[in-house]
């Protein structure tokens, strides 16, 4: 069974997924961050593949991506860092990266290398759904990888149901129609959107991302979905705290 499926089967609520940018703050920090997150009880990790034009990301994650690229991070080097990672950890791992570097690497090759490293799923924010259906879904299924699609408050019910029918793993619910970034609370509009999607009784579980930064936002997300995804808040801590372990401990303390 795919580790993502096992996680959602065993844990129905309160799932904490954390995003970080590979190669940040230092090039060799990728595996250190992954091990520290699992040690602190994080349920799922999204490994960001840095890209020069990350259109869905806010300034904090954009800056981390620029730093990682300056450090020399690339798709090929990331796979080199992740080789053997499954000897050290067991929680689900998802790669989150934009389409351009993946196309340059070759999608079939990208999937093959991901599986060798023990990756369980892929998030490609700028992958159009029609292209996913035509060209990407068959390859991902061949390798047993889940491709996780994003929905926003502006996504129609028809499109949400199509995504639910043709994807697996979980659905990434973007909390607002904006870029990533920490927020102190969710407004009535976001809460109404969470409840509207929750009432659709979709087959896939959902995680809410963009804006999760404290106990209030994490708990609000967990009331309306299986859990939440945190990115910008953790990236900020990685950039300010003295050690990776310190940053991870402060994140978990802030959220839980």
């Amino acid at each position: 069974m795919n580790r993502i499926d096992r996680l959602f089967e065993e844990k129905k609520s309160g799932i904490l997924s954390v995003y970080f940018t590979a190669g940040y703050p230092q090039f060799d920090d990728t595996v250190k961050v992954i091990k520290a997150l699992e040690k602190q009880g994080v349920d799922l990790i999204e490994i960001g593949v840095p890209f020069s034009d990350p259109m869905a990301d806010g300034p904090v994650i954009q800056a981390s991506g620029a730093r990682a690229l300056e450090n020399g991070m690339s798709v090929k080097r990331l796979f080199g860092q992740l080789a053997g990672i499954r000897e050290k950890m067991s929680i689900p791992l998802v790669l989150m990266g934009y389409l351009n570097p993946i196309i340059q690497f070759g999608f079939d090759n990208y999937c093959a290398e991901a599986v060798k490293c023990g990756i369980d799923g892929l998030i490609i924010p700028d992958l159009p759904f029609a292209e996913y259906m035509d060209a990407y879904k068959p390859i991902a299924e061949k390798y047993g990888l889940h491709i996780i699609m994003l929905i926003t408050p502006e996504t129609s019910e028809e499109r949400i149901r199509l995504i639910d029918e043709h994807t697996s793993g979980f659905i990434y619910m973007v909390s607002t129609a904006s870029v990533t970034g920490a927020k102190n609370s969710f407004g009535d509009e976001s809460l109404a959107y969470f409840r509207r999607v929750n009432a659709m009784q979709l087959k896939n579980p959902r995680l809410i991302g963009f804006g999760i930064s404290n106990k209030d936002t994490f708990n609000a997300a967990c009331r309306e979905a299986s859990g939440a995804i945190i990115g910008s808040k953790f990236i900020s801590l990685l950039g300010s705290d003295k050690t990776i372990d310190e940053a991870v401990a402060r994140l978990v303390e802030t959220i839980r």
Side-chain angles (χ1 to χ4, degrees), residues 74-235:
S74 66
V75 172
K76 183 177 180 180
R77 287 182 167 185
L78 174 57
F79 284 133
Q81 289 185 344
L82 295 177
I85 191 71
R86 282 298 169 197
E87 298 170 10
K88 305 166 185 173
M89 59 171 307
S90 60
I91 67 173
L93 297 174
V94 173
L95 285 182
M96 184 168 184
Y98 289 85
L99 195 53
N100 188 282
I102 295 172
I103 290 174
Q104 291 181 19
F105 194 79
F107 186 63
D108 194 292
N109 192 32
Y110 188 82
C111 291
E113 291 299 315
V115 169
K116 283 182 189 176
C117 296
I119 298 298
D120 304 290
L122 308 175
I123 300 173
I124 310 173
D126 56 342
L127 174 61
F129 185 73
E131 288 186 32
Y132 158 72
M133 290 294 293
D134 290 343
Y136 291 81
K137 182 182 179 183
I139 296 172
E141 288 181 343
K142 178 178 74 172
Y143 287 100
L145 288 166
H146 291 320
I147 292 191
I148 290 98
M149 303 291 284
L150 283 68
I151 64 172
T152 76
E154 298 176 345
T155 307
S156 68
E157 179 173 337
E158 179 184 12
R159 175 54 63 91
I160 292 172
R161 293 200 181 278
L162 276 173
I163 288 171
D164 187 49
E165 181 181 354
H166 294 288
T167 65
S168 54
F170 65 93
I171 291 174
Y172 189 134
M173 286 184 65
V174 176
S175 65
T176 60
S178 63
V179 297
T180 57
K183 294 177 177 63
N184 291 322
S185 63
F186 291 120
D188 292 341
E189 189 174 338
S190 291
L191 294 174
Y193 153 62
F194 299 159
R195 290 162 189 162
R196 173 171 59 85
V197 174
N198 199 25
M200 292 173 66
Q201 298 185 326
L202 303 175
K203 72 175 177 67
N204 279 307
R206 297 166 309 287
L207 294 179
I208 296 173
F210 288 43
I212 313 296
S213 64
N214 54 30
K215 287 183 174 70
D216 288 344
T217 47
F218 179 71
N219 290 335
C222 291
R223 283 192 293 270
E224 304 299 336
S226 295
I229 301 161
I230 297 169
S232 296
K233 178 68 175 180
F234 181 51
I235 297 291

